[in-house]
């Protein structure tokens, strides 16, 4: 029999505690991924907040799932993708800088990271999402396709276009498409 403490069932308190522990461990990574998807700190914070709220509502169903991280990432990507589909979307641009700094550098900074991330942020939304999922999150083409709700072929073509655009913007045609080491965000 479940007991009640201050109006909350004991099993609800345990689930809440489990969620809070998971969130404390993963929130930074989700924020970095959201920032890479959106290119804006404020939009990333909003995206993570929405994803965490949806995850919390589904926590009873997913807390025993083999990969809560994948489920949370799927929510994050779906929420971001839904903004592409809104015809009435109004993008606000913040004119001042944020007090929050989302780190996107690896431990060994080689002087190229800032230029590369600036170029990644300038990519169209879908190409940026594919690059982030494939090369930052290190998902396979199939996993990225599932997360974005697109075909594997679309992932391949978007990645190819994105890498071509990055090579052009950065003036470096010597990149190997799978050799993007040195610019991964610190995990």
């Amino acid at each position: 029999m479940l007991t009640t403490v201050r109006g909350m069932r004991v099993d609800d308190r345990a689930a809440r505690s489990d969620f809070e522990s998971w969130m404390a461990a993963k929130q930074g990574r989700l924020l970095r991924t959201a920032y890479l998807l959106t290119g804006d700190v404020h939009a990333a914070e909003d995206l993570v907040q929405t994803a965490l709220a949806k995850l919390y509502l589904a926590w009873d169903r997913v807390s025993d799932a083999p990969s809560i991280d994948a489920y949370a990432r799927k929510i994050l990507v779906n929420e971001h993708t839904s903004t592409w589909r809104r015809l009435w979307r109004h993008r606000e641009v913040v004119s001042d800088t944020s007090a929050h700094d989302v780190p996107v550098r690896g431990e060994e900074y080689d002087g190229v990271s800032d230029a590369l991330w600036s170029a990644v942020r300038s990519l169209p939304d879908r190409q940026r999402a594919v690059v982030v999922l494939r090369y930052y999150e290190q998902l396979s083409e199939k996993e990225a396709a599932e997360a974005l709700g697109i075909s594997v072929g679309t992932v391949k073509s978007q990645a190819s276009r994105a890498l071509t655009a990055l090579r052009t913007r950065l003036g470096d045609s010597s990149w190997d498409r799978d050799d993007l080491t040195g610019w991964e965000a610190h995990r």
Side-chain angles (χ1 to χ4, degrees):
M1 177 172 201
L2 294 173
T3 58
T4 303
V5 177
R6 293 186 187 164
M8 183 181 281
R9 294 185 327 206
V10 173
D11 65 335
D12 289 346
R13 289 174 52 146
R16 179 178 169 182
S17 176
D18 289 346
F19 176 78
E20 288 172 352
S21 296
W22 180 89
M23 183 180 70
K26 303 298 180 174
Q27 189 171 9
R29 183 177 176 99
L30 288 173
L31 183 58
R32 284 188 295 274
T33 300
Y35 175 73
L36 295 172
L37 289 171
T38 64
D40 178 69
V41 173
H42 300 291
E45 290 170 344
D46 290 345
L47 186 60
V48 169
Q49 182 178 7
T50 301
L52 289 174
K54 288 188 173 197
L55 181 62
Y56 182 74
L57 292 174
W59 191 252
D60 290 340
R61 291 189 325 264
V62 300
S63 60
D64 294 330
S67 180
I68 298 169
D69 296 358
Y71 188 81
R73 189 173 42 245
K74 176 91 172 166
I75 294 172
L76 199 69
V77 170
N78 286 346
E79 283 300 308
H80 178 63
T81 302
S82 71
T83 62
W84 302 345
R85 296 184 178 134
R86 292 186 188 129
L87 297 176
W88 51 268
R89 182 177 94 167
H90 173 71
R91 175 178 247 169
E92 295 180 14
V93 179
V94 179
S95 60
D96 63 349
T97 59
S98 172
H100 304 291
D101 185 24
V102 179
V104 293
R105 292 186 187 150
E107 289 180 12
E108 297 178 17
Y109 179 64
D110 62 2
V112 178
S113 297
D114 288 338
L116 181 57
W117 283 117
S118 178
V120 168
R121 283 192 299 271
S122 71
L123 292 172
D125 288 340
R126 184 172 283 183
Q127 288 179 14
R128 184 172 58 241
V130 167
V131 167
V132 168
L133 293 176
R134 287 282 292 128
Y135 301 105
Y136 173 74
E137 290 289 336
Q138 297 180 348
L139 298 182
S140 68
E141 290 167 340
K142 182 180 178 187
E143 291 169 329
E146 289 172 2
L148 292 169
I150 58 178
S151 71
V152 172
T154 302
V155 168
K156 290 178 181 180
S157 67
Q158 293 295 308
S160 175
R161 288 183 188 130
L163 293 177
T164 299
L166 291 173
R167 285 183 192 108
T168 301
R169 288 182 184 133
L170 296 173
D172 184 1
S173 61
S174 64
W175 283 11
D176 180 290
R177 81 180 278 256
D178 292 326
D179 183 23
L180 295 179
T181 57
W183 63 274
E184 302 91 352
H186 180 68
R187 293 178 188 222

